[in-house]
Amino acid sequence: MLDSLSARLTAIFDRLGGQGRLSEENIQEALREVRVALLEADVNFKVVRGFIDRVKVRAVGQDVLKSLTPAQQVVKVVHDELVELLGGSGHRLAPAAHPPTVVMLIGLQGSGKTTTAAKLARLYAKQGQHPILAAADTYRPAAQDQLKTLGAQLDVPVVDDGRTPVEICRAALESAAARGLTPLILDTAGRLHIDETMLDELKQIRAAVKPHHVLLVVDAMTGQDAVTVADRFNQAVGIDAVILTKMDGDSRGGAALSVRHVTGRPIAFVGMGEKTDALEPFHPDRLASRILGMGDIVSLVEKAQQNVDQAQAEEMVRKLREETFTLEDFRAQLKQVRALGPLDQVMGMLPFGKMLKGAPKELSGEQADLDRFEAIICSMTPGERRNPEVINGSRRQRIARGSGSSVQDVNRLLKQFAQLKKMMKQFKSMEGRLGKLKGLGGFPMPRG
Amino acid sequence: MSLFSGLKERLRDGLKRSQEYLATGLATVLEADRPIDDTLYEELEELLIAADLGAAIAADFTNRAREEVMFGTVTRADQLRPLFRRFLVDALKPAAQPLNLDARPSVLLMLGVNGAGKTTTAAKLAASLKGDGRQVLLAAADTFRAAAIEQLETWGTRIGVDVIRQAAGSDPAAVVFDAVKAALARRADVLVVDTAGRLHTKSNLMDELAKLRRVIERQCPGGPHESLMVLDAPTGQNGFAQAQMFHEAIGLSGVCLTKLDGTAKGGIVVRIVRELKLPIKLVGVGERVEDLKAFDADAFVDALVPADPAGGPRE
């Protein structure tokens, strides 16, 4: 998929000509595009069917807002509807009246239960609680070792006493009560949603320890079958909320909408990485954008805010304006770009990033350039950094040797720096004409 | 060879449940006296989408069916079933290829996203090859996930295959280096390398994988003889992006489709086979060692579009 939904819709409405009002006829083709986008995002086709009908009802007859094009208007209606369906943000796992609060994780094999159990424990510990883990996966080889290793890393006790999963969970509950630890997080074995024997085991655990929150762990890359999985688990065991894992990849995560639709249960958290701190609250608006292929701009902005020092950015703008921008500042700027993470991951969060996905090699080349430029600047003397004009042939050779690069690389850097300064001069003269130019140190924000 | 015998029955066995589920849908869609109209096409398209074939391929197949109807080669709704089966078999036939085990040692690199079933598949494959009378070694190159090494070692003990390992957190390239050396020294027939799960979007982890490949290549020219991406059947459209990016990064030799014993049908492989021309080397249809099978296009299509509504023998 090369272009985002908005771009495709724009093309359709361009063909139709300017439309002041959305009608059944003029949104027909647009809705077909919406349908394909949702299917490509792995939303179940039955859910898509109902969704399109609702969007149609909502959109037909709407006046196109002055500030929007018809394409944007349709995207807005679709987006709003998605957000509404995905439910409110940050489902809170309420503590039980009588501790310990018991949280039980269930799901298919390989959905990420054990990792998520550790992440939850870490999250609770960070909030000042004293969690305890139960390793109730007695089937997968070394699954209990895995949880014990993670527990030791987090300094969270792990109970694995007992022969059967039910015994282990019971022992863990007693241990939690006796030691005054809460919440108790139960990690159960992965199982198929059609394996009656294994589902019975979950029911037994449920009956034995009466968990306050049963959480279904779902892989964000799941396809159409997500509805069957969620429905069977919900019917057999009953679930209270959902955790969506492996959202740090490039899957569009439409399975979340399917699961939400068939179970009616909210999404509590999303897993965003392999490390135990990578568990985040769920944001319906961000997922909606992602499902529609519009990129996760909010996440990128947040990441930028976390990593880019505002004061430093303002200082940079001042220097640019006063033309005192040196290679030293250039290096600081490079550092900030790098702090956002590997370039290809940053691009993945942008709507047009998909277009660049075809060229990941060039991107990692850019990444290598950033690394090399930093090394080259580091090999310069402070005087050279402040005043690059003094860098003659023999200095260039010295810098190249010192940074493990070639003279050509040094030349390239100096050329780019000169270009940057020239560009800044142009900006400055533009600024004079156009009034204040704001946000120079910020990031170019593509329109969604 | 146990790996390539009785697989059709087994696959059908393992897929019986999904077959039953889908058969009911198809029976109503493809009744003989139903008129061939837009509603029917739409329902057919949705059946393919429901099996994760993706909107584009579903539309393509449906359009081709429309053409056949237009040319008069198909006149009744119940003729559409064999037609769709033919489309699918044609698309998947080239994908059935055996493992390349000619070299000695043959180095098989197992890779894929987290939770796809790499470790289990590596162990089952090792057991199956050992059952064929080959001398097999396993390499525990997933040094990242907690207790991944122990998981493979438990398997090794269970199936009687030695596991080359180092401490948790060590360099996977070093493990692979040792393992290939051991395979050469012991004159093993096959070395199965289990790697850490990684999302295909993490460039640093993809680089690590490329390095593992280079380490194998350097010590064992011609290796790795198989680079197999493990993909689980519940995966949706993202499965294509996975295959594409792993293929770009290190060059895949094929795909292992696991967890076909659930209700998911793994239809995304149709797109992977069609667009990336990658074969499907193995399928996993259950938890037992014998449940890892060679891919059979007919059996697979039987599960996607059963030959007749009762799910009986094919025409």
Side-chain angles (χ1 to χ4, degrees), chain B residues 103-127:
Chain B
R104 194 170 164 207
S106 294
V107 183
L108 316 184
L109 190 61
M110 314 296 289
L111 49 95
V113 298
N114 316 64
K118 284 172 300 301
T119 307
T120 310
T121 306
K124 283 184 191 169
L125 181 57

Side-chain angles (χ1 to χ4, degrees), chain B residues 8-313:
Chain B
K8 223 177 251 192
E9 293 70 26
R10 275 248 175 273
L11 184 61
R12 244 178 245 150
D13 227 28
L15 291 169
K16 210 170 156 225
R17 278 179 287 234
S18 34
Q19 207 167 337
E20 280 163 5
Y21 162 78
L22 198 72
T24 43
L26 270 174
T28 46
V29 173
L30 300 176
E31 272 163 28
D33 49 359
R34 242 193 99 160
I36 299 180
D37 55 12
D38 278 352
T39 327
L40 178 66
Y41 286 126
E42 206 169 287
E43 284 175 32
L44 279 170
E45 198 179 338
E46 284 184 342
L47 274 169
L48 298 178
I49 288 170
D52 285 320
L53 270 84
I57 288 189
D60 179 41
F61 281 10
T62 312
N63 286 339
R64 279 163 65 189
R66 273 179 208 269
E67 278 170 23
E68 302 266 351
V69 172
M70 224 161 62
F71 291 130
T73 41
V74 167
T75 51
R76 294 195 322 271
D78 62 340
Q79 289 172 310
L80 285 171
R81 177 195 306 273
L83 189 67
F84 272 86
R85 287 178 51 85
R86 204 186 74 215
F87 291 162
L88 284 163
V89 171
D90 285 352
L92 290 171
K93 259 276 145 70
Q97 288 176 26
L99 286 174
N100 175 13
L101 299 168
D102 297 336
R104 194 170 164 207
S106 294
V107 183
L108 316 184
L109 190 61
M110 314 296 289
L111 49 95
V113 298
N114 316 64
K118 284 172 300 301
T119 307
T120 310
T121 306
K124 283 184 191 169
L125 181 57
S128 172
L129 293 171
K130 189 185 176 227
D132 293 343
R134 293 172 207 266
Q135 208 214 320
V136 186
L137 271 182
L138 278 163
D142 180 357
T143 57
F144 178 80
R145 179 165 60 90
I149 299 171
E150 286 79 358
Q151 185 180 347
L152 196 65
E153 276 207 313
T154 310
W155 268 108
T157 317
R158 200 184 282 178
I159 62 178
V161 170
D162 282 348
V163 177
I164 308 297
R165 59 160 291 181
Q166 286 184 12
S170 56
D171 179 6
V175 178
V176 169
F177 183 87
D178 281 358
V180 177
K181 220 164 78 177
L184 287 166
R186 299 188 199 182
R187 306 186 57 77
D189 296 309
V190 186
L191 170 67
V192 183
V193 181
D194 178 33
T195 63
R198 67 199 76 219
L199 291 178
H200 49 291
T201 49
K202 313 256 159 154
S203 52
N204 51 338
L205 297 180
M206 296 303 267
D207 290 347
E208 181 192 272
L209 204 55
K211 184 177 174 190
L212 297 188
R213 194 195 157 95
R214 284 198 302 276
V215 168
I216 295 169
E217 244 168 0
R218 204 171 302 142
Q219 286 180 96
C220 185
H225 306 87
E226 293 281 1
S227 298
L228 301 171
M229 185 183 89
V230 181
L231 176 75
D232 68 5
T235 308
Q237 298 308 299
N238 192 247
F240 182 76
Q242 290 172 27
Q244 195 177 30
M245 290 175 81
F246 274 112
H247 195 37
E248 261 173 34
I250 76 148
L252 296 175
S253 66
V255 173
C256 297
L257 187 62
T258 60
K259 305 185 197 171
L260 270 170
D261 46 340
T263 48
K265 283 158 283 288
I268 188 63
V269 293
V270 177
R271 186 166 172 214
I272 294 175
V273 169
R274 217 161 82 138
E275 292 184 30
L276 301 177
K277 311 277 176 240
L278 284 173
I280 305 167
K281 298 260 168 148
L282 295 166
V283 291
V285 295
E287 303 205 322
R288 295 168 305 169
V289 165
E290 316 85 85
D291 294 332
L292 187 67
K293 295 287 150 196
F295 174 74
D296 179 297
D298 288 311
F300 188 76
V301 172
D302 276 351
L304 285 175
V305 182
D308 74 58

Side-chain angles (χ1 to χ4, degrees), chain A residues 35-36 39-40 42 45-46 49 108-111 139-142 145-146 149-150 153 192-194 219 221-225 228-229 232 246 248-252 272-275 342 344-345 357-358 360-361, chain B residues 17 21 42 45-47 49-52 55 113-116 144-147 150-151 154-155 158 197-205 232 234-238 241-242 245 248 259 261-265 287:
Chain A
R35 173 177 174 268
V36 171
L39 288 173
E40 278 173 357
D42 287 323
F45 71 93
K46 285 181 190 153
R49 215 190 282 154
L108 292 178
Q109 288 98 337
S111 54
Y139 301 91
R140 179 162 61 92
D145 290 339
Q146 185 183 351
T149 308
L150 292 169
Q153 282 168 14
L192 280 174
H193 51 292
I194 47 175
D219 184 332
M221 296 181 279
T222 312
Q224 297 286 320
D225 203 40
T228 323
V229 174
R232 298 275 179 110
K246 306 180 207 172
D248 47 332
D250 62 351
S251 69
R252 306 257 295 273
M272 292 296 291
E274 297 184 82
K275 306 237 168 74
D344 47 354
Q345 282 179 35
K357 271 280 155 66
K361 284 202 184 86
Chain B
R17 278 179 287 234
Y21 162 78
E42 206 169 287
E45 198 179 338
E46 284 184 342
L47 274 169
I49 288 170
D52 285 320
V113 298
N114 316 64
F144 178 80
R145 179 165 60 90
E150 286 79 358
Q151 185 180 347
T154 310
W155 268 108
R158 200 184 282 178
R198 67 199 76 219
L199 291 178
H200 49 291
T201 49
K202 313 256 159 154
S203 52
N204 51 338
L205 297 180
D232 68 5
T235 308
Q237 298 308 299
N238 192 247
Q242 290 172 27
M245 290 175 81
E248 261 173 34
K259 305 185 197 171
D261 46 340
T263 48
K265 283 158 283 288
E287 303 205 322

Side-chain angles (χ1 to χ4, degrees), chain A residues 202-220:
Chain A
L202 288 180
K203 288 182 214 168
Q204 285 164 24
I205 295 176
R206 183 167 195 147
V209 297
K210 304 201 172 47
H212 303 90
H213 306 283
V214 178
L215 304 181
L216 180 68
V217 180
V218 178
D219 184 332

Side-chain angles (χ1 to χ4, degrees), chain A residues 327 330 373 376 380 384 388-389 391-392 396 399 407-420:
Chain A
L327 277 164
F330 189 44
F373 282 178
I376 293 173
M380 295 176 182
E384 287 168 344
E389 280 81 51
I391 304 178
N392 57 21
R396 274 167 216 240
I399 293 165
V407 174
Q408 283 80 13
D409 289 330
V410 179
N411 288 340
R412 207 151 50 89
L413 166 73
L414 291 172
K415 202 170 144 203
Q416 288 203 5
F417 180 68
Q419 274 172 355
L420 185 71

